[in-house]
Amino acid sequence: MLDIAEELNRWVEQGRDFAVATVVAVGGSAPRRPGAALAVDADGTAIGSVSGGCVEGAVYELCRQALEDGESVLERFGYSDDDAFAVGLTCGGVIDILVTPVRVGDRVRPVIAAGLAAAASGGATALARIVRGPAELVGRALVVRGRESDENGSRASASASHDSGFRGSAAHDSGFPGGGSYDSGFRGGAAYDSGFRGDGSYDSGFRRSAAYDSGFHEGGFGAHPELDRTVAGEAGAFLDAGRTGTLEIGEQGSRCGAPLTVLVESSVPPPRMIVFGAIDFASALVRVGKFLNYRVTVCDARPVFATEARFPEADEIVVEWPHRYLERTEVDARTVLCVLTHDAKFDVPLLRLALRLPVAYVGAMGSRRTHLDRNARLREVGVTELELARLRSPIGLDLGARTPEETALSIAAEIVADRRGGSGVPLTGAHTPIHHDARSVPTGRIGSVA
C-alpha cells in the first residue's frame, strides 16, 4: 500500500475510514507486483490498482465488505478456464490479495498511519504485516523507519511502531495449486529494483548515503518478542535494498509454533540518474528520467551550458569536472550514470571511476569509433576487461533514433531492460515473458523445518 501512501495519508489526516487491498504474491503472468494496492473509502471513492483492470471490480466489492464487517480477508484470483471473462486474470496469472479495513478506532490504524505518514514524507519506510499464520497473529503489523545519518556522521537507526492486530483471519495455503510456480514477490517488480549486480552478486545498496539499522526498540506481536526482533531485522534488510516481497518464517524461527508468511513493503526515496554532459540530448534525457521517477542531476564542467534555463526539470545542476563530482557524491545500487560528453578528457577519468562503483547502470554516448578509442584509453589507465564489460556503449537500444527525444527514449529503454531483465526484442512473435525479473532471488526463509 505504500505505493499510494501520499493519497492514503491524506485520507488518514481527514479521518476517513477505508479498506486497502494489497497484492501479497503473484504466480505466472500478472500485471502488478507485490505491494501494489487499491483502496476504497466509506463513500466509495477508489484509488490505486491491483491488476491493471482484470479484477478491480471484485476487489472493490471486497473492500466495501471489509469496511462493513471490519474483517480482513486473503483472496486468490486466477484465470478461469470455464469463462475467460469471469472474475479472474485473463492473462493467465494468479494473485493473492490481502484486504484490510482501516477504520477509526481499529487497533491496526495507528501503525498503518505511521507507515503511510513516513512514506508520504519521502522517508525510507518498511511496513511488515503477517498475512498467513495463526489467527491471532494474522494482520498484525510493524513499521521500520530509516533515518539518515545525523550531522555528526553517526550511524542511522531504525524505529519500529506496532499494533495489536487486525480483526478476523485469513486461512490460505502458501503455494499455488496444480504444480504452478509460486512467486513470493521478493523480486524487481517493486517501484525500486536494487541491490543486484549483473554478475549475480548482491549489494545491499546505499553506498555512502543513508545507512539503516534494523535494530528493534519495542514489541509488535504481543507475547512474541523474539518474533518482533526477527521481523524487524528482516524488514530492515528489505528496506536497505529498497525491496518489497514476502518472507517465509518456519516454526523454529517464528517462535509461535507455526510457520508464518510476512509481507514486507518498502518505500525509499527515488533512485538517482546522473547525466554527465549538458548537451541537447541531456535535456531530453532529463525529461524521460523524471518521467521514470528518477532524481536527476546534470553535471558539466562548463558553466555556460550547465544552467537552470537549459535544464528546468533537473533536480540538481552541478558545474564541476565530472569525475570530481562523482568522487564526492552519493550513489547506490539503484543509481544510473549516463555519460553523454563523448570527450576523452571528461570521459576517461569519469568512466575509470564509474565502472568501479556498485551502481546499476553505466552508459556512454559516442560512435563505434569513439567507443573503440575510448576503450583503448581506458585500458591504458588500468581499467580491466571485467570492468569494461559493465559499460553500455554505444549507449541505448537500437531504435534507429535520430532526434534528442528519440535518443533519450533509446537510453531509457536500455535502462529499463537492464533493470527488469528484458531482451529488447519486439514482443510480437517472441516467446519471452512479457514481465521479466532478472534480479530475482528465492523467497526469504528463516527457521524452516524440513
Side-chain angles (χ1 to χ4, degrees):
M1 74 175 74
L2 298 186
D3 65 333
I4 52 174
E6 189 171 343
E7 295 91 339
L8 288 183
N9 187 54
R10 283 197 293 268
W11 284 10
V12 170
E13 292 175 342
Q14 294 165 0
R16 297 196 208 183
D17 289 343
F18 60 91
V20 59
T22 307
V23 176
V24 173
V26 304
S29 178
R32 300 299 307 276
R33 308 305 298 172
L38 178 147
V40 180
D41 73 359
D43 295 329
T45 301
I47 58 174
S49 171
V50 292
S51 71
C54 299
V55 300
E56 307 304 274
V59 173
Y60 179 90
E61 293 303 325
L62 286 174
C63 287
R64 296 297 298 269
Q65 183 63 39
L67 272 173
E68 183 177 334
D69 60 30
E71 294 190 358
S72 62
V73 61
L74 185 64
E75 192 73 26
R76 175 168 294 165
F77 293 91
Y79 180 77
S80 171
D81 291 325
D82 296 329
D83 183 358
F85 296 99
V87 172
L89 297 174
T90 56
C91 58
V94 179
I95 58 175
D96 280 354
I97 294 177
L98 178 69
V99 181
T100 305
V102 185
R103 307 179 303 180
V104 173
D106 285 352
R107 290 178 295 180
V108 69
R109 191 175 177 100
V111 68
I112 297 291
L116 293 173
S121 66
T125 309
L127 175 64
R129 288 184 283 167
I130 297 177
V131 298
R132 293 188 183 91
E136 69 274 13
L137 292 180
V138 169
R140 294 192 179 186
L142 177 122
V143 171
V144 174
R145 293 187 292 268
R147 295 196 300 269
E148 291 191 5
S149 299
D150 60 27
E151 294 180 356
N152 296 323
S154 61
R155 179 174 172 81
S157 62
S159 62
S161 52
H162 62 280
D163 77 298
S164 297
F166 286 53
R167 298 173 182 172
S169 64
H172 272 264
D173 62 332
S174 60
F176 287 92
S181 61
Y182 179 72
D183 182 346
S184 68
F186 193 84
R187 296 178 168 257
Y192 306 102
D193 183 0
S194 65
F196 292 88
R197 300 172 177 157
D199 60 2
S201 62
Y202 179 72
D203 186 306
S204 62
F206 296 105
R207 172 186 175 269
R208 294 182 302 175
S209 55
Y212 299 98
D213 183 353
S214 60
F216 181 70
H217 294 274
E218 55 184 302
F221 303 122
H224 303 283
E226 291 296 328
L227 177 60
D228 298 341
R229 286 190 285 271
T230 296
V231 173
E234 292 300 319
F238 273 63
L239 182 58
D240 279 350
R243 303 186 69 81
T244 289
T246 53
L247 173 71
E248 303 290 339
I249 304 178
E251 288 185 25
Q252 294 178 345
S254 71
R255 309 296 177 92
C256 66
L260 302 173
T261 300
V262 181
L263 173 67
V264 181
E265 299 176 66
S266 293
S267 177
V268 295
R272 297 193 66 188
M273 172 184 284
I274 307 178
V275 181
F276 297 97
I279 61 177
D280 50 354
F281 290 93
S283 180
L285 185 56
V286 167
R287 296 195 297 272
V288 174
K290 292 298 296 178
F291 177 75
L292 292 177
N293 196 40
Y294 283 93
R295 178 175 175 268
V296 183
T297 297
V298 176
C299 176
D300 197 300
R302 302 165 296 180
V304 68
F305 295 116
T307 66
E308 291 185 10
R310 285 170 53 82
F311 300 97
E313 296 180 312
D315 295 288
E316 180 184 31
I317 299 173
V318 177
V319 180
E320 190 171 351
W321 276 78
H323 71 283
R324 292 175 183 166
Y325 172 68
L326 187 57
E327 284 175 343
R328 66 174 178 81
T329 195
E330 297 174 352
V331 300
D332 61 32
R334 302 178 298 148
T335 302
V336 300
L337 306 178
C338 300
V339 181
L340 309 186
T341 48
H342 51 81
D343 184 329
K345 68 177 178 291
F346 294 120
D347 289 3
V348 172
L350 173 61
L351 290 171
R352 180 187 182 188
L353 173 61
L355 293 172
R356 294 170 179 172
L357 296 179
V359 295
Y361 173 92
V362 181
M365 177 176 279
S367 67
R368 297 193 184 280
R369 178 179 294 180
T370 299
H371 165 72
L372 293 175
D373 177 71
R374 184 167 48 212
N375 278 7
R377 293 173 184 269
L378 288 170
R379 291 186 182 96
E380 289 175 358
V381 296
V383 176
T384 68
E385 295 302 319
L386 185 61
E387 290 166 345
L388 277 178
R390 297 186 60 207
L391 179 60
R392 298 291 185 139
S393 174
I395 194 171
L397 296 183
D398 179 12
L399 304 183
R402 289 187 177 272
T403 69
E405 289 74 19
E406 291 171 347
T407 302
L409 178 61
S410 167
I411 296 170
E414 183 174 55
I415 290 171
V416 172
D418 182 69
R419 177 178 176 180
R420 301 299 189 192
S423 65
V425 303
L427 290 175
T428 303
H431 299 286
T432 58
I434 294 177
H435 305 291
H436 291 263
D437 292 303
R439 293 160 178 79
S440 63
V441 296
T443 307
R445 297 184 182 277
I446 297 177
S448 298
V449 179

